[in-house]
Amino acid sequence: MPFDRLFESQLENLKAEGNYRYFADLTRKCGQHPRALNHQDGESREITVWCSNDYLGMGQHPDVVEAMAQTARECGTGAGGTRNISGTNHHHLELEAELADLHGKEGALLFTSGYVSNWAALSTLGSRLPNAVILSDSLNHASMIEGIRHSRAQKVIWKHNDPEDLDRKLAALPANATKIVAFESVYSMDGDIAPIREIVEVAEKHGAMTYLDEVHAVGMYGPRGGGVAEQEGLMDRITLIEGTLGKAFGVMGGYITGSAALCDFIRSFASGFIFTTALPPAVAAAATTSIRHLKESGEERAMQRRQVDRLRNQLDAKGIPHMDNPSHIIPVMIKDPVKCRMLSDYLMDQFGIYVQPINYPTVPKGTERLRFTPGPRHTDADIDHLVAALEVLWKQCAIARATA
């Protein structure tokens, strides 16, 4: 059987559609975020990264780097096993305590990624709670969708960020259903923010559990970086808050927080926790340092907000179309996969600007975009250079401009 030919034919279709993904060969330069080296054809050159999820540059903060290096010297590189078999290290417990405190919860539980924490938690809740029904926002992340699917629980999809539709869907469920409302705070592709208060009030009205993914918000929003729920004063009304260590905190890993009983329940029954090697202690120590820093320092968040506003204003002034939203994510809309790839290549080749095209299936066909994430260490000159480059390409490629 010519298996490679089967693989290749589907890859060829993907390329013809303009949705094949090419990886840039990068080396991040420690202490110089958002600068990186791009390696190509045996040569390298410095470029500026504009699409990193290391939103605040904490992955290169000297205290975070030193915490990781020192702990690796003390404990070695790996955890030595799953948490159940020799893999639980004191640094894991310290980090879980720090996360529980961040979200005002009794407990927290670590996972190897935000994808795994969503998959494991939702699949466990849906499969083990009696008569479980998971009500999922229509734009929830793939990790949430996979967790719900794996649970084999009844699934109900409600209109994106629409509490009234959620209310109708909850009201239609039988009285004996265990209802779980799953949604995100900041949606990573459009950058919109959920009306959390209204959603929580609807869920409480129907006696439903609330499951909030704050992956793109932790570290970024709220006085201590607890996310949008902290900013809105709602953390105590949400049953489970899920987050990541791999974005604003600059390390890697995922987690859930909630009551002690909830975290112990997931710890005891989730296969995605039980059978996975634990995070290296050095990673846990670095994450703890990053969280502690952002609990005390608002400087990074304030500077990021300034640069986000500056980029938005300049894009508006030049008529470059971008989605209007209240978050730190700026999607510049191209609406064509081939043009999106072409613009990304031009920005890298001609201007030393790296932004990855966002195409289907990450976003629906016809909504392709370049997703910019300005950070506190992007300079005013970086923003000026980016906008000037986009203006040149908009003229060269005859792309429609935004109208006032």
Side-chain angles (χ1 to χ4, degrees):
M1 182 63 130
F3 293 111
D4 280 354
R5 187 60 203 141
L6 296 176
F7 306 146
E8 289 165 357
S9 65
Q10 294 198 37
L11 291 170
E12 287 165 4
N13 291 337
L14 199 62
K15 291 176 182 177
E17 294 169 355
N19 291 320
Y20 183 78
R21 301 181 184 199
Y22 297 88
F23 293 159
D25 184 352
L26 304 179
T27 299
R28 300 179 74 193
K29 301 180 72 174
C30 189
Q32 298 182 47
H33 183 78
R35 311 290 174 232
L37 290 178
N38 173 220
H39 306 279
Q40 192 172 11
D41 300 326
E43 298 181 353
S44 62
R45 60 175 181 141
E46 184 175 275
I47 54 96
T48 301
V49 178
W50 274 99
C51 53
S52 174
N53 283 342
D54 186 358
Y55 291 130
L56 301 177
M58 291 301 295
Q60 299 185 21
H61 190 286
D63 293 346
V64 176
V65 173
E66 179 54 31
M68 181 176 285
Q70 179 179 333
T71 306
R73 287 191 293 268
E74 293 172 354
C75 300
T77 53
T82 68
R83 291 285 296 275
N84 293 300
I85 305 176
S86 83
T88 295
N89 185 279
H90 185 64
H91 293 287
H92 297 128
L93 302 180
E94 282 191 328
L95 176 53
E96 287 171 341
E98 204 68 47
L99 289 164
D101 174 77
L102 176 67
H103 294 292
K105 301 295 186 185
E106 291 179 339
L109 189 67
L110 287 173
F111 293 85
T112 50
S113 73
Y115 192 104
V116 174
S117 56
N118 267 333
W119 181 89
L122 282 166
S123 64
T124 303
L125 291 169
S127 63
R128 298 202 64 93
L129 294 181
N131 304 309
V133 180
I134 303 178
L135 298 101
S136 178
D137 183 285
S138 62
L139 291 188
N140 274 344
H141 189 264
S143 59
M144 302 175 79
I145 294 168
E146 285 296 323
I148 295 167
R149 181 182 294 133
H150 185 74
S151 76
R152 299 186 179 180
Q154 181 183 344
K155 176 181 68 175
V156 175
I157 298 174
W158 48 286
K159 293 178 183 177
H160 178 55
N161 281 349
D162 189 337
E164 292 182 0
D165 188 53
L166 174 63
D167 189 21
R168 289 190 292 269
K169 298 286 172 61
L170 282 165
L173 295 175
N176 69 339
T178 302
K179 309 173 190 75
I180 305 165
V181 175
F183 63 108
E184 302 180 40
S185 57
V186 177
Y187 286 82
S188 63
M189 289 299 113
D190 290 354
D192 54 335
I193 295 179
I196 298 178
R197 185 177 301 278
E198 291 87 344
I199 292 169
V200 168
E201 287 172 354
V202 168
E204 289 174 344
K205 171 184 171 183
H206 294 278
M209 173 189 301
T210 43
Y211 183 112
L212 176 61
D213 176 320
E214 289 257 42
V215 159
H216 289 274
V218 290
M220 310 281 294
Y221 300 87
R224 298 199 309 159
V228 179
E230 183 194 26
Q231 181 174 280
E232 301 297 320
L234 295 168
M235 291 194 299
D236 61 317
R237 295 172 65 181
I238 296 167
T239 313
L240 184 154
I241 297 176
E242 184 266 351
T244 185
L245 306 170
K247 293 182 171 60
F249 293 130
V251 193
M252 71 168 292
Y255 64 88
I256 62 165
T257 64
S259 68
L262 169 58
C263 292
D264 198 17
F265 173 79
I266 301 297
R267 182 189 71 87
S268 298
F269 293 111
S271 62
F273 176 85
I274 295 169
F275 298 105
T276 302
T277 297
L279 287 174
V283 171
T288 300
T289 300
S290 181
I291 293 164
R292 287 174 178 168
H293 175 86
L294 290 174
K295 281 180 177 178
E296 300 294 329
S297 172
E299 178 182 349
E300 292 83 3
R301 289 186 284 273
M303 179 56 92
Q304 189 205 39
R305 286 193 295 270
R306 177 189 183 277
Q307 300 308 73
V308 168
D309 290 344
R310 180 180 175 86
L311 178 54
R312 286 191 188 281
N313 290 335
Q314 289 205 27
L315 292 173
D316 287 338
K318 301 298 183 182
I320 306 296
H322 62 96
M323 276 192 173
D324 185 23
N325 63 55
S327 78
H328 57 283
I329 294 165
I330 304 179
V332 170
M333 304 307 293
I334 311 301
K335 301 182 180 181
D336 179 278
V338 176
K339 283 187 177 180
C340 200
R341 174 80 259 171
M342 179 181 65
L343 287 171
S344 173
D345 290 343
Y346 282 168
L347 285 168
M348 179 74 106
D349 296 340
Q350 297 179 20
F351 300 97
I353 291 169
Y354 174 55
V355 58
Q356 188 74 355
I358 306 294
N359 294 341
Y360 178 84
T362 306
V363 295
K365 291 181 179 180
T367 69
E368 293 81 8
R369 66 201 65 182
L370 300 174
R371 176 183 176 273
F372 294 94
T373 54
R377 300 188 68 177
H378 283 103
T379 66
D380 290 355
D382 290 334
I383 294 173
D384 294 346
H385 178 60
L386 169 62
V387 174
L390 289 172
E391 187 175 24
V392 168
L393 294 181
W394 245 247
K395 291 177 182 177
Q396 287 181 355
C397 302
I399 301 173
R401 293 181 183 267
T403 56

